[in-house]
Amino acid sequence: MSRVEMRLVDKEGDHLGQTGVTADRLGPGKSSTGDIGVLEPEIQNGKLSDNVAAKVGTVDRTKPE
């Protein structure tokens, strides 16, 4: 399983906040797409309506059990 931290940015690329998602069976060099639901408390700078993109910040992988 992988835990992916997403940076939320506005149209100028300024940091608004962050959120996280998990991905099962996402190995090194692989990619995945999907929708994320950003919540108001995840926005520290600006408003929820300012969010236009989510960019990968960090990825933490755990070994399968």
mmCIF file of all heavy atoms in Angstrom, residues 8-12 14 16 38-53:
data_model
loop_
_atom_site.group_PDB
_atom_site.id
_atom_site.type_symbol
_atom_site.label_atom_id
_atom_site.label_comp_id
_atom_site.label_asym_id
_atom_site.label_seq_id
_atom_site.Cartn_x
_atom_site.Cartn_y
_atom_site.Cartn_z
ATOM 1 N N LEU A 8 -2.158 20.920 -2.437
ATOM 2 C CA LEU A 8 -3.251 21.619 -3.111
ATOM 3 C C LEU A 8 -2.770 23.022 -3.470
ATOM 4 O O LEU A 8 -2.209 23.726 -2.633
ATOM 5 C CB LEU A 8 -4.467 21.698 -2.189
ATOM 6 C CG LEU A 8 -4.925 20.351 -1.630
ATOM 7 C CD1 LEU A 8 -5.992 20.552 -0.573
ATOM 8 C CD2 LEU A 8 -5.401 19.442 -2.738
ATOM 9 N N VAL A 9 -2.954 23.403 -4.731
ATOM 10 C CA VAL A 9 -2.442 24.695 -5.198
ATOM 11 C C VAL A 9 -3.527 25.482 -5.937
ATOM 12 O O VAL A 9 -4.476 24.911 -6.468
ATOM 13 C CB VAL A 9 -1.208 24.523 -6.113
ATOM 14 C CG1 VAL A 9 -0.054 23.893 -5.356
ATOM 15 C CG2 VAL A 9 -1.544 23.692 -7.340
ATOM 16 N N ASP A 10 -3.328 26.809 -5.976
ATOM 17 C CA ASP A 10 -4.249 27.668 -6.715
ATOM 18 C C ASP A 10 -3.719 27.884 -8.129
ATOM 19 O O ASP A 10 -2.702 27.303 -8.518
ATOM 20 C CB ASP A 10 -4.493 28.986 -5.973
ATOM 21 C CG ASP A 10 -3.251 29.854 -5.839
ATOM 22 O OD1 ASP A 10 -2.230 29.590 -6.517
ATOM 23 O OD2 ASP A 10 -3.290 30.816 -5.052
ATOM 24 N N LYS A 11 -4.384 28.744 -8.903
ATOM 25 C CA LYS A 11 -4.014 28.918 -10.308
ATOM 26 C C LYS A 11 -2.628 29.533 -10.490
ATOM 27 O O LYS A 11 -2.016 29.364 -11.542
ATOM 28 C CB LYS A 11 -5.067 29.732 -11.051
ATOM 29 C CG LYS A 11 -5.238 31.138 -10.549
ATOM 30 C CD LYS A 11 -6.351 31.833 -11.302
ATOM 31 C CE LYS A 11 -6.583 33.224 -10.710
ATOM 32 N NZ LYS A 11 -7.736 33.862 -11.267
ATOM 33 N N GLU A 12 -2.094 30.202 -9.474
ATOM 34 C CA GLU A 12 -0.735 30.741 -9.543
ATOM 35 C C GLU A 12 0.313 29.729 -9.065
ATOM 36 O O GLU A 12 1.499 30.003 -9.097
ATOM 37 C CB GLU A 12 -0.611 32.024 -8.705
ATOM 38 C CG GLU A 12 -1.279 33.241 -9.320
ATOM 39 C CD GLU A 12 -2.769 33.297 -8.989
ATOM 40 O OE1 GLU A 12 -3.162 32.806 -7.913
ATOM 41 O OE2 GLU A 12 -3.532 33.814 -9.815
ATOM 42 N N ASP A 14 0.402 28.660 -5.919
ATOM 43 C CA ASP A 14 0.644 28.887 -4.492
ATOM 44 C C ASP A 14 0.003 27.778 -3.664
ATOM 45 O O ASP A 14 -1.099 27.322 -3.953
ATOM 46 C CB ASP A 14 0.063 30.239 -4.058
ATOM 47 C CG ASP A 14 0.777 31.413 -4.717
ATOM 48 O OD1 ASP A 14 1.988 31.293 -4.984
ATOM 49 O OD2 ASP A 14 0.116 32.443 -4.963
ATOM 50 N N LEU A 16 -2.036 25.910 -0.995
ATOM 51 C CA LEU A 16 -3.266 26.171 -0.238
ATOM 52 C C LEU A 16 -3.391 25.249 0.965
ATOM 53 O O LEU A 16 -3.964 25.610 1.983
ATOM 54 C CB LEU A 16 -4.494 25.973 -1.128
ATOM 55 C CG LEU A 16 -4.633 26.913 -2.314
ATOM 56 C CD1 LEU A 16 -5.800 26.481 -3.180
ATOM 57 C CD2 LEU A 16 -4.791 28.339 -1.855
ATOM 58 N N VAL A 38 -11.545 17.090 -1.699
ATOM 59 C CA VAL A 38 -10.873 18.009 -0.775
ATOM 60 C C VAL A 38 -11.901 18.581 0.191
ATOM 61 O O VAL A 38 -12.985 19.001 -0.204
ATOM 62 C CB VAL A 38 -10.182 19.151 -1.561
ATOM 63 C CG1 VAL A 38 -9.505 20.117 -0.611
ATOM 64 C CG2 VAL A 38 -9.182 18.579 -2.551
ATOM 65 N N LEU A 39 -11.549 18.594 1.463
ATOM 66 C CA LEU A 39 -12.422 19.117 2.504
ATOM 67 C C LEU A 39 -11.945 20.494 2.952
ATOM 68 O O LEU A 39 -10.739 20.785 2.926
ATOM 69 C CB LEU A 39 -12.443 18.168 3.699
ATOM 70 C CG LEU A 39 -12.858 16.722 3.393
ATOM 71 C CD1 LEU A 39 -12.677 15.859 4.626
ATOM 72 C CD2 LEU A 39 -14.281 16.681 2.886
ATOM 73 N N GLU A 40 -12.862 21.334 3.368
ATOM 74 C CA GLU A 40 -12.537 22.700 3.810
ATOM 75 C C GLU A 40 -11.409 22.742 4.848
ATOM 76 O O GLU A 40 -10.512 23.576 4.741
ATOM 77 C CB GLU A 40 -13.805 23.367 4.353
ATOM 78 C CG GLU A 40 -13.661 24.859 4.598
ATOM 79 C CD GLU A 40 -13.631 25.693 3.323
ATOM 80 O OE1 GLU A 40 -14.394 25.396 2.394
ATOM 81 O OE2 GLU A 40 -12.814 26.635 3.264
ATOM 82 N N PRO A 41 -11.404 21.856 5.869
ATOM 83 C CA PRO A 41 -10.327 21.919 6.870
ATOM 84 C C PRO A 41 -8.921 21.643 6.305
ATOM 85 O O PRO A 41 -7.931 21.949 6.956
ATOM 86 C CB PRO A 41 -10.707 20.841 7.886
ATOM 87 C CG PRO A 41 -12.168 20.624 7.703
ATOM 88 C CD PRO A 41 -12.436 20.895 6.251
ATOM 89 N N GLU A 42 -8.835 21.066 5.116
ATOM 90 C CA GLU A 42 -7.525 20.776 4.526
ATOM 91 C C GLU A 42 -6.901 21.999 3.858
ATOM 92 O O GLU A 42 -5.737 21.986 3.488
ATOM 93 C CB GLU A 42 -7.651 19.635 3.505
ATOM 94 C CG GLU A 42 -8.078 18.344 4.154
ATOM 95 C CD GLU A 42 -8.451 17.257 3.181
ATOM 96 O OE1 GLU A 42 -9.081 17.559 2.146
ATOM 97 O OE2 GLU A 42 -8.116 16.100 3.469
ATOM 98 N N ILE A 43 -7.663 23.067 3.716
ATOM 99 C CA ILE A 43 -7.167 24.304 3.128
ATOM 100 C C ILE A 43 -6.712 25.230 4.255
ATOM 101 O O ILE A 43 -7.515 25.680 5.066
ATOM 102 C CB ILE A 43 -8.265 25.012 2.286
ATOM 103 C CG1 ILE A 43 -8.798 24.083 1.198
ATOM 104 C CG2 ILE A 43 -7.759 26.320 1.715
ATOM 105 C CD1 ILE A 43 -7.824 23.763 0.093
ATOM 106 N N GLN A 44 -5.403 25.495 4.326
ATOM 107 C CA GLN A 44 -4.868 26.383 5.356
ATOM 108 C C GLN A 44 -4.702 27.814 4.851
ATOM 109 O O GLN A 44 -4.730 28.760 5.621
ATOM 110 C CB GLN A 44 -3.509 25.885 5.860
ATOM 111 C CG GLN A 44 -3.558 24.595 6.645
ATOM 112 C CD GLN A 44 -3.382 23.370 5.777
ATOM 113 O OE1 GLN A 44 -2.672 23.401 4.787
ATOM 114 N NE2 GLN A 44 -4.047 22.291 6.123
ATOM 115 N N ASN A 45 -4.498 27.992 3.544
ATOM 116 C CA ASN A 45 -4.245 29.311 2.955
ATOM 117 C C ASN A 45 -5.223 29.524 1.809
ATOM 118 O O ASN A 45 -5.078 28.912 0.764
ATOM 119 C CB ASN A 45 -2.814 29.386 2.400
ATOM 120 C CG ASN A 45 -1.774 29.060 3.442
ATOM 121 O OD1 ASN A 45 -1.791 29.611 4.522
ATOM 122 N ND2 ASN A 45 -0.875 28.146 3.137
ATOM 123 N N GLY A 46 -6.204 30.384 1.995
ATOM 124 C CA GLY A 46 -7.166 30.630 0.932
ATOM 125 C C GLY A 46 -8.495 29.945 1.198
ATOM 126 O O GLY A 46 -8.826 29.603 2.331
ATOM 127 N N LYS A 47 -9.234 29.716 0.111
ATOM 128 C CA LYS A 47 -10.568 29.107 0.197
ATOM 129 C C LYS A 47 -10.597 27.824 -0.628
ATOM 130 O O LYS A 47 -9.811 27.650 -1.564
ATOM 131 C CB LYS A 47 -11.628 30.064 -0.360
ATOM 132 C CG LYS A 47 -11.676 31.418 0.301
ATOM 133 C CD LYS A 47 -12.695 32.318 -0.359
ATOM 134 C CE LYS A 47 -12.332 32.520 -1.783
ATOM 135 N NZ LYS A 47 -12.505 33.705 -2.465
ATOM 136 N N LEU A 48 -11.530 26.964 -0.313
ATOM 137 C CA LEU A 48 -11.698 25.716 -1.043
ATOM 138 C C LEU A 48 -11.901 25.986 -2.535
ATOM 139 O O LEU A 48 -11.359 25.287 -3.385
ATOM 140 C CB LEU A 48 -12.880 24.935 -0.468
ATOM 141 C CG LEU A 48 -13.148 23.555 -1.035
ATOM 142 C CD1 LEU A 48 -11.945 22.642 -0.864
ATOM 143 C CD2 LEU A 48 -14.363 22.943 -0.376
ATOM 144 N N SER A 49 -12.627 27.045 -2.864
ATOM 145 C CA SER A 49 -12.892 27.363 -4.271
ATOM 146 C C SER A 49 -11.644 27.823 -5.027
ATOM 147 O O SER A 49 -11.645 27.854 -6.250
ATOM 148 C CB SER A 49 -13.983 28.429 -4.370
ATOM 149 O OG SER A 49 -13.576 29.614 -3.718
ATOM 150 N N ASP A 50 -10.550 28.166 -4.317
ATOM 151 C CA ASP A 50 -9.296 28.572 -4.965
ATOM 152 C C ASP A 50 -8.520 27.377 -5.509
ATOM 153 O O ASP A 50 -7.640 27.532 -6.343
ATOM 154 C CB ASP A 50 -8.379 29.304 -3.968
ATOM 155 C CG ASP A 50 -8.951 30.619 -3.490
ATOM 156 O OD1 ASP A 50 -9.767 31.213 -4.227
ATOM 157 O OD2 ASP A 50 -8.586 31.052 -2.386
ATOM 158 N N ASN A 51 -8.830 26.166 -5.019
ATOM 159 C CA ASN A 51 -8.066 24.978 -5.407
ATOM 160 C C ASN A 51 -8.308 24.632 -6.874
ATOM 161 O O ASN A 51 -9.435 24.508 -7.313
ATOM 162 C CB ASN A 51 -8.463 23.793 -4.525
ATOM 163 C CG ASN A 51 -7.646 22.557 -4.830
ATOM 164 O OD1 ASN A 51 -6.433 22.622 -4.863
ATOM 165 N ND2 ASN A 51 -8.311 21.459 -5.067
ATOM 166 N N VAL A 52 -7.213 24.506 -7.635
ATOM 167 C CA VAL A 52 -7.350 24.123 -9.037
ATOM 168 C C VAL A 52 -6.533 22.879 -9.383
ATOM 169 O O VAL A 52 -6.727 22.297 -10.438
ATOM 170 C CB VAL A 52 -6.953 25.268 -10.004
ATOM 171 C CG1 VAL A 52 -7.904 26.434 -9.859
ATOM 172 C CG2 VAL A 52 -5.515 25.694 -9.803
ATOM 173 N N ALA A 53 -5.622 22.479 -8.499
ATOM 174 C CA ALA A 53 -4.794 21.316 -8.811
ATOM 175 C C ALA A 53 -4.294 20.659 -7.533
ATOM 176 O O ALA A 53 -4.199 21.292 -6.492
ATOM 177 C CB ALA A 53 -3.603 21.718 -9.675
#
